[in-house]
Amino acid sequence: LRQVVRPGLFVILQRADGDKVKQSCRKVWDDADLVIRFDGERFDVDPEAFDVVDGQWTVRRPATAIVLAGGQSKRMGTDKALLEIDGRPMIQRVVDQLRPHFAEILVSANDPERYAFLGLPVVPDTRPGLGPMVAVSSVLARSSHETNFVVPCDLPIVPSELLREVLR
């Protein structure tokens, strides 16, 4: 079925002590969003990691989302991250869209107090003023995961289908 249908969330359940995998399962193994192991009593996934976004199930991945908010907004004249859309700062909208998908979210910015309202770690540049590549490098050094997703703070819509596809 998985070879002809693309579900919102595709999970494979595996016995923790089992190394046998059916050939039909092996064919779709790499398409799985998540492999959950079961030891006969417990599953190795936190039930709180699951959520419904845009009417589809999703799971928080062992990955880090990095929100770039360290620009100086010289052309705009005001901090783009704090511009309000529907009564919420744009950066808050971005973070809220990332939360169901990522175990960790880090904000890259040189003014931690400005983004304290997000309740997230704010990582300053190790060498301020040298641009976004230094910002990305600085925050990657603080990331807890091997998989990282970098997104700007001024992207008002982060399509959840795109996030699911990238994380697959």
Side-chain angles (χ1 to χ4, degrees):
L1 181 61
R2 175 57 188 97
Q3 291 175 321
V4 295
V5 174
R6 177 170 219 121
L9 181 64
F10 177 47
V11 176
I12 292 176
L13 296 175
Q14 180 186 34
R15 289 195 57 88
D17 61 354
D19 12 339
K20 294 181 184 177
V21 177
K22 291 182 187 178
Q23 186 175 357
S24 59
C25 183
R26 199 177 320 258
K27 287 181 181 178
V28 296
W29 191 273
D30 292 335
D31 295 325
D33 293 298
L34 181 66
V35 176
I36 299 175
R37 287 173 181 72
F38 180 66
D39 67 6
E41 294 181 22
R42 286 181 287 194
F43 296 98
D44 71 348
V45 68
D46 178 6
E48 295 295 318
F50 291 91
D51 204 349
V52 176
V53 177
D54 299 332
Q56 290 192 347
W57 283 98
T58 190
V59 63
R60 211 172 304 24
R61 310 301 169 99
T64 299
I66 297 169
V67 182
L68 297 178
Q72 296 176 1
S73 300
K74 288 180 182 176
R75 289 175 294 173
M76 182 69 105
T78 188
D79 189 346
K80 293 183 288 188
L82 300 178
L83 288 176
E84 290 197 359
I85 297 177
D86 294 332
R88 289 186 305 161
M90 194 167 354
I91 193 170
Q92 181 72 60
R93 292 178 58 90
V94 171
V95 166
D96 289 347
Q97 292 172 78
L98 297 171
R99 280 190 201 278
H101 302 279
F102 295 90
E104 178 180 52
I105 301 174
L106 300 174
V107 176
S108 170
N110 289 314
D111 187 356
E113 296 80 32
R114 178 175 278 172
Y115 303 106
F117 70 94
L118 295 168
L120 297 171
V122 178
V123 181
D125 296 357
T126 54
R127 296 179 61 201
L130 294 180
M133 292 312 292
V134 170
V136 170
S137 173
S138 301
V139 77
L140 283 173
R142 287 277 307 276
S143 172
S144 301
H145 300 95
E146 188 173 310
T147 301
N148 294 271
F149 180 78
V150 181
V151 63
C153 66
D154 58 350
L155 187 66
I157 298 174
V158 184
S160 57
E161 182 55 37
L162 170 68
L163 293 174
R164 282 190 288 270
E165 195 61 33
V166 166
L167 289 166
R168 268 191 190 116

